[in-house]
Amino acid sequence: MVKDIKNNMFIFQLLLLGFVLVSEVVADNSSLDIHSFSVISDVKFRYATTRLETVFKNTRKSAALAIFHVNIPENAFVSNFTMAVNGSVFVGEVLEKKEAREIYNKAAQRGETAAYVGTEHRYSNTFHVMVSVEAQQTAVFTLTYQELLQRSFGKYRHVIHLTNEQIIENFKIEVFISDLQGIELKQVSLEKNDIETSRETKQVGSVDYISNKQLYINYEPSVSDQKAFSSQGITGLFEVNYDVDWKVSSNMVYAIDGYFVHFYAPDSFPSLQKKIVFILDVSGSMNGHKIKQMKNAMKGILHSLKQALDTFMIGIFSESTKWMTDGFLPASKENIDVALNYIDKLAADGGTNINEALLTSLNKFDNQKSSETKNLVFFLTDGQPTNGVSNLNSIMKNVKEANSDTSTSIFTLGFGEGSDMDFLKQLAGENGGFSRKIYVAADSRMQILNLYSEISRILLKNIDIVYLDDAINRTTLTKNSFSYYFKGSEIVIAGTTSEQLKEDISILLTMDTSSGLKSEKVKLPVENLDDEFPLGLESIPQNPRLTTLQSLHTITRNTWVQLTLKRLLNLERTPEVQKRIITIALKYGFVTPLTSMVVVQNREMKMVREAYHRRTYALKASHALACGNTCCFSFYLLLVIGCLQMYFHNW
């Protein structure tokens, strides 16, 4: 009899799972409209905490689906999620991925249904929730994420993705910005989409300058405003661009509760000379639309080269690597014309030998080093290695040995879905560069051009910042040596301090400039915002509505946490590195590629976690984590079927 009951339970759970999966397929036909959507974002010292709240009210006579879909900026970390559905409260907890998966399994065994799906969205990560809301009930979803804004082209860009795709009766976005250096607002705008070549951007919102160091932005579109935007309401990017006042000094240091942050933006230096290797994938998979886009982009880049500063080479690779010329060419009109003709004749064919392409590119810089010139590799591929050395770890090792002093910065572009972005990001990160994914769309030419425009604005290289005061705990410093500095960007360093921190600190600054090596000792004032030093707390008052969202006493610590996590995520994922990422992420509650956020009803979480830990202890499991995809996650959260649990419990 017991065996029959268990078999019946198993069959019924399979039927239940099938029912839920079918309901997800038809969810759009029965999904609820959003009753209200509100966003509040607080930006202090370039650190943004954003909270989105979406409310669904089911006024129907039967249950219906509430779909909560949010795109999150790619550099942001989710820090909190809660939902209240049908009178029950669900809370998010950041756990190690292995533990999170076990909890999902335990929840399923208890009669609940859970699934885990990872998807990726352009420029963002995706958070997706779909739950059933009973008749005459309400569902409230609240998601919080945090991001250290990055300065580029002389501005900080704060973006909120709007993906609701419907007209909403109550719609509101509020952004507060505070900074001791003073704020220069550039633009508050709304874009219909994120496709570069077909932007429809318009100025929106109202701005209230509380002082030159604090401003408030409010955007509250009416129903008619939303309909005027599109028949599906407002779907696109709400973007705030601003800068701070760097006129007095290129440095700003502040400290709160044992943590400090140092911002450095030396934009006044003249540009460095550049030696650039463009190494382009022309394998068979680039045929058609891709190679046309690449050609158009390269033509734009060649026209932007500066004769007085730039020399260049162009290489192409498929199964082997070929070069337009044997040596570097000055960016004269004659040489540009030759390069344009060469690019125009390119054709795609053959396999992909990434190892050979990278090593021969680095070899071109032999005996081509000077303090006034920066060596750059601009590497574009749409696939993975199929010829020559195909093991990605071996390629990484070979490149690292060939570029042991990191004198050449490698910037990688993954063109389309076939490229391995994890590999390209690590390759660039270990060789003084960064990586971008180029999406094959109408704007891929503009994406490539924008990336080159960013890296071409190089002013300094080999920047080293040494803190001379004992009050700075040097072992806790985030990255303090940098391969380059681009005009309009920013260097950010964070760490912990001792109680001996004074009102200024001394640093030794060393860098290569266009006129040679520069080294100087600098004394910097510290905006110390501890209780002993109220300076700053008065000049940047706390808005009462934001006190619980982001306190001055947490942003310095969280800036340090995010910089530390990003540095670790760019390293090779050894067991030691993975352990450090997980430890920091769990301690401070951030979702990373090695941690997940699991959501279980409050009264169930303790029981499920205890079951997991008992099983872990019994098995004494000790295997390493798999890395998985970076920075993208999506959740189909638990649908609690309480009445069914009671039914089987009392069978």
Side-chain angles (χ1 to χ4, degrees), residues 561-573:
V561 170
Q562 289 212 8
L563 289 172
T564 301
L565 285 174
K566 287 177 181 177
R567 181 178 63 83
L568 291 171
L569 289 167
N570 281 329
L571 299 178
E572 182 182 352
R573 299 285 175 81

Side-chain angles (χ1 to χ4, degrees), residues 568 571-584 594 624-625:
L568 291 171
L571 299 178
E572 182 182 352
R573 299 285 175 81
T574 63
E576 181 183 355
V577 170
Q578 291 186 42
K579 183 178 179 181
R580 290 188 65 194
I581 292 170
I582 292 169
T583 299
I584 293 172
L594 301 183
L625 287 167

Side-chain angles (χ1 to χ4, degrees), residues 55 215 276 286 422 426 576 630:
V55 178
L215 60 84
I276 312 164
M286 286 288 292
D422 289 345
Q426 187 176 337
E576 181 183 355
T630 60

Side-chain angles (χ1 to χ4, degrees), residues 45 115 129 167 235 269 348 369 581:
F45 304 123
V129 178
I167 305 297
T235 300
F269 286 90
K369 300 175 184 177
I581 292 170

Side-chain angles (χ1 to χ4, degrees), residues 227-240:
K227 289 180 178 178
F229 188 82
S230 81
S231 59
Q232 292 185 316
I234 295 176
T235 300
L237 300 176
F238 180 83
E239 183 173 330
V240 179

